[in-house]
Amino acid sequence: MPTKEEIFEKIREALVEALGVDEEEVTPEATLVGDLGAESIDFLDIVFRLEKAFDIKIPRGELFPEDVLTNPEYVQDGRVTEAGLAELRRRVPFIDLTEFEKNPVVQDFANILTVADMCRFVETKVEVAG
Amino acid sequence: MRWFWIDRFLEFQSGKYAKAVKNISLAEDHLHDHFPGYPVMPNSLVVEGLAQTGGLLVCQYTGFQEKVILAKIPRVVFHFEARPGDTLIYSATVENVTEDGAMVKATSRLGDRIQAEMEVVFAYLDGQFQDKMLFDPVVLQHMMRILRVYEVGCDAEGKPLGLPPALAVPPAGT
């Protein structure tokens, strides 16, 4: 049963290998796209590594709720609606949406995911020690 | 198109592992330009051979139902140059498969020395490409037969591999 620190270390290792970044760059506050330079195909790579590192399954849409962000029911004029934000809060409670909610432009969503969000996500999938 | 960068498969365990051989010959035109007077196998073509070994392994596992593309090479390391007369043995192991793609680790060996090591991510093209064809099934079938997959291949239970329905070609005139 891993501790929170062990989860962070494994995620850091996965991101170093997938993104070719230095260990020091992978801080809890770092955003995957903006700070670590992740591109869309890198997320597939990252999911493979997280699944293997933690022996978990990450179904499509669980870490990145693309289906919500492309659903006309939740998006209008390129912005996530109130109903959409409620759906995001339900679907991805591990992501801190505070900043995004102020100006919920769909194309900005990919930029908000941080390493800390990813740690919280993994903590929902494995039993955490302590 | 003659884009074969492996000569044949030696082993092929569906969804798990494949081993292929690449004999490097001075008869290959490109070696005379790479480089004049000093022929070495371009590393990019070793990468292609490793990707073909792993890519066909993934394609076969999906029953040729997915459009498998090389999406990313997170890591590749070359330890020495491969030269005419060398026989490289490429091994590919499936590390993970999901509904979106697969991760494969591959090595190139010359005798007991590791010549290259590579990680490769394959992605399946999604719905918007459903009506596009990457490979003609006849060409793919031909390729798999030439590479002798169906002579050495086995499924998860160790039974010989059969031709998948997606590659079955109706007899001429039907």
Side-chain angles (χ1 to χ4, degrees), chain A residues 79 82 85 89 97-105 108:
Chain A
R79 297 169 67 83
E82 272 306 317
L85 287 172
R89 281 191 288 270
L97 295 170
T98 317
E99 282 302 310
F100 180 72
E101 283 170 346
K102 292 176 186 166
N103 187 23
V105 177
D108 291 344

Side-chain angles (χ1 to χ4, degrees), chain B residues 13 96 150:
Chain B
Q13 294 175 37
N96 198 348
Y150 300 110

Side-chain angles (χ1 to χ4, degrees), chain B:
Chain B
M1 188 176 70
R2 301 190 187 99
W3 192 246
F4 289 93
W5 292 104
I6 49 180
D7 294 327
R8 64 167 293 194
F9 278 95
L10 302 173
E11 294 176 36
F12 197 102
Q13 294 175 37
S14 181
K16 289 186 180 167
Y17 174 77
K19 188 192 272 188
V21 59
K22 164 62 187 166
N23 288 300
I24 303 171
S25 167
L26 204 49
E28 294 172 39
D29 276 348
H30 61 96
L31 294 178
H32 296 271
D33 297 316
H34 190 279
F35 300 93
Y38 185 71
V40 293
M41 182 68 174
N43 287 341
S44 54
L45 293 177
V46 174
V47 165
E48 177 63 28
L50 291 170
Q52 290 187 358
T53 307
L56 287 170
L57 184 62
V58 175
C59 274
Q60 190 279 330
Y61 183 66
T62 71
F64 299 91
Q65 294 301 299
E66 297 287 352
K67 295 176 174 64
V68 179
I69 58 160
L70 193 166
K72 179 182 174 185
I73 297 174
R75 175 173 177 267
V76 61
V77 181
F78 297 94
H79 298 287
F80 59 89
E81 291 164 344
R83 301 167 59 193
D86 288 347
T87 295
L88 298 179
I89 301 294
Y90 296 158
S91 301
T93 304
V94 175
E95 290 284 301
N96 198 348
V97 182
T98 70
E99 58 191 329
D100 294 318
M103 164 82 94
V104 169
K105 281 192 177 173
T107 58
S108 163
R109 283 189 171 81
L110 177 63
D112 55 4
R113 300 162 68 205
I114 294 178
Q115 190 261 333
E117 299 169 86
M118 179 165 108
E119 284 180 339
V120 53
V121 174
F122 294 100
Y124 305 152
L125 290 183
D126 60 17
Q128 60 177 311
F129 298 98
Q130 273 314 315
D131 57 341
K132 305 271 194 308
M133 190 164 68
L134 288 182
F135 294 101
D136 182 330
V138 177
V139 173
L140 205 50
Q141 179 185 354
H142 189 56
M143 189 170 179
M144 295 289 280
R145 279 186 169 152
I146 285 178
L147 294 172
R148 303 200 230 173
V149 170
Y150 300 110
E151 291 177 30
V152 299
C154 62
D155 65 14
E157 280 88 45
K159 293 178 189 156
L161 285 183
L163 208 57
L167 285 188
V169 181
T174 61

Side-chain angles (χ1 to χ4, degrees), chain A residues 78-119:
Chain A
R79 297 169 67 83
V80 180
T81 61
E82 272 306 317
L85 287 172
E87 181 66 6
L88 285 177
R89 281 191 288 270
R90 189 184 70 78
R91 285 278 302 277
V92 287
F94 49 88
I95 298 182
D96 182 356
L97 295 170
T98 317
E99 282 302 310
F100 180 72
E101 283 170 346
K102 292 176 186 166
N103 187 23
V105 177
V106 170
Q107 63 187 31
D108 291 344
F109 187 83
N111 296 323
I112 65 170
L113 187 74
T114 64
V115 175
D117 293 334
M118 197 166 261
C119 289

